[in-house]
Amino acid sequence: MNLSRLLPDRFTLSLIATVGVASLLPCRGMAASAFDVFTNIAIALLFFLHGTRLSRQAIVNGATHWRLHLLVVASSFAFFPLMALALKPVLAPLVTPGLYAGVIIMCTMPSTVQSSIAFTSIARGNISAAVCSASLSSLLGVFLTPLLVGLLLMRHQSESSSLHAVFDIVMQLLVPFIAGHLSQRWIGEWVGRHGVLVGAVDRGSILLVVYTAFSEAVVEGLWHQVTPDALLGLLLVTSLMLALALMTTTFAARGFGFGKEDEIAIVFCGSKKSLASGLPMIKVIFAGQAIGVAVLPLMLFHQIQLMVCAVLAQRYAERKSPGAHSAES
């Protein structure tokens, strides 16, 4: 096993540094308002650029795998929330009530797009199906995530506020995404040649959301609410949930008779939670509220899933292809 894959990457170190800066130098007053506006612009630009990169051909190629997509969507928006509720007697004592609410919020988030596709590619899985499943999960999350948050956290979210959150997410995330997709014929090729730009906007928008979220939370006394014991408990909780998700998606894929390539797409798309889409959604759903505690579970789960799935993808990639044995003989 390559131990370097288990070490934090540059982006993770940037996240940690951003949390540190927000803890020591949180933005306040007019500066916080300016950061908030700038963050919203960066998020809209991010989803616009993602829209330009989603190929219509990829949609057509993967659309026929409806059973695969259904399984991924069920894992993202049914299995994860039900798991959080079923394990509450075990999970809740390990973390604070605020962190447990953050775990539930994390479980309502859609799957990742970039890393799901990247790991599926490394593992020699069904890439076109992964593109469609991950993209479909992100689009459905615009509608399902705020509704699930309202359903699971009724004390904090009424039905009307949930519907308002859906509208806000549609306007701030989906509309720019659709605009980007419609403009693909004019700028799609240019954006494809400048992947560094999309990556910079992707990471930059996440860092902005983290900084503004933690700044507000620090001002509200975040680090007096979250103890080292609670953080350790959160590490155990997120690790356990990822392990259960990986095992469940693997057994489900095999139980429904999917081939190995499809199984890989199901495992990597169905076990992940998106930081790039999740943080903007949390920001919109809980507009005007301190969300530092709410984003901690998602940030931690995201890093753990990257490290574990990097190793898992390599193990899948090392398998023999069909007929390899007979060829060697």
Side-chain angles (χ1 to χ4, degrees):
M1 181 187 298
N2 188 353
L3 294 178
S4 64
R5 294 183 179 278
L6 298 178
L7 298 176
D9 57 14
R10 292 182 180 178
F11 180 59
T12 301
L13 294 176
S14 298
L15 281 174
I16 296 172
T18 301
V19 172
V21 172
S23 300
L24 297 174
L25 298 171
C27 59
R28 307 167 186 263
M30 293 184 62
S33 299
F35 265 102
D36 196 50
V37 172
F38 189 50
T39 300
N40 289 336
I41 294 173
I43 290 171
L45 177 59
L46 168 65
F47 278 80
F48 176 85
L49 292 175
H50 279 310
T52 65
R53 302 185 75 188
L54 181 60
S55 167
R56 287 190 180 95
Q57 187 59 45
I59 297 175
V60 173
N61 290 342
T64 57
H65 295 277
W66 65 269
R67 291 173 62 245
L68 184 151
H69 304 324
L70 185 61
L71 190 54
V72 170
V73 169
S75 177
S76 296
F77 299 111
F79 171 72
F80 264 96
L82 291 174
M83 176 171 56
L85 294 177
L87 294 177
K88 182 177 181 179
V90 178
L91 305 183
L94 296 175
V95 295
T96 64
L99 285 177
Y100 178 69
V103 169
I104 292 180
I105 293 168
M106 175 198 79
C107 288
T108 68
M109 293 297 153
S111 176
T112 61
V113 177
Q114 294 96 326
S115 62
S116 293
I117 296 169
F119 286 135
T120 300
S121 176
I122 292 170
R124 297 191 286 126
N126 190 333
I127 299 175
S128 63
V131 170
C132 288
S133 278
S135 301
L136 177 63
S137 179
S138 292
L139 292 176
L140 289 177
V142 170
F143 306 98
L144 294 180
T145 293
L147 294 177
L148 286 171
V149 169
L151 178 64
L152 298 175
L153 299 176
M154 286 184 178
R155 291 176 300 173
H156 307 285
Q157 288 281 102
S158 65
E159 181 179 352
S160 60
S161 62
S162 296
L163 293 176
H164 182 69
V166 171
F167 176 78
D168 287 343
I169 289 177
V170 166
M171 296 303 297
Q172 294 187 34
L173 308 184
L174 185 60
V175 169
F177 181 90
I178 294 175
H181 189 63
L182 293 176
S183 64
Q184 185 183 70
R185 60 183 298 183
W186 297 289
I187 65 173
E189 186 178 341
W190 183 87
V191 173
R193 292 198 309 266
H194 296 79
V196 175
L197 171 65
V198 180
V201 175
D202 192 341
R203 288 164 173 76
S205 62
I206 292 174
L207 294 177
L208 279 171
V209 172
V210 169
Y211 178 70
T212 54
F214 272 87
S215 290
E216 186 176 3
V218 167
V219 172
E220 297 292 330
L222 169 66
W223 298 121
H224 296 291
Q225 304 170 30
V226 180
T227 64
D229 289 345
L231 287 176
L232 178 60
L234 182 60
L235 175 62
L236 296 175
V237 166
T238 50
S239 299
L240 172 63
M241 298 185 82
L242 177 61
L244 290 174
L246 289 171
M247 288 190 293
T248 301
T249 50
T250 300
F251 292 143
R254 295 174 183 176
F256 283 105
F258 287 97
K260 185 61 69 175
E261 288 74 18
D262 288 343
E263 173 193 317
I264 290 169
I266 291 168
V267 169
F268 287 124
C269 294
S271 64
K272 285 194 173 60
K273 292 296 177 181
S274 175
L275 190 67
S277 299
L279 288 183
M281 287 182 181
I282 293 174
K283 183 177 183 296
V284 174
I285 294 170
F286 295 96
Q289 303 179 42
I291 60 172
V293 175
V295 304
L296 271 176
L298 180 59
M299 289 175 58
L300 187 56
F301 185 89
H302 181 265
Q303 178 55 33
I304 296 172
Q305 75 184 11
L306 290 180
M307 294 188 296
V308 172
C309 289
V311 176
L312 184 60
Q314 287 298 325
R315 293 192 62 180
Y316 270 122
E318 291 167 1
R319 75 188 187 281
K320 292 183 179 180
S321 58
H325 179 72
S326 59
E328 292 174 1
S329 300

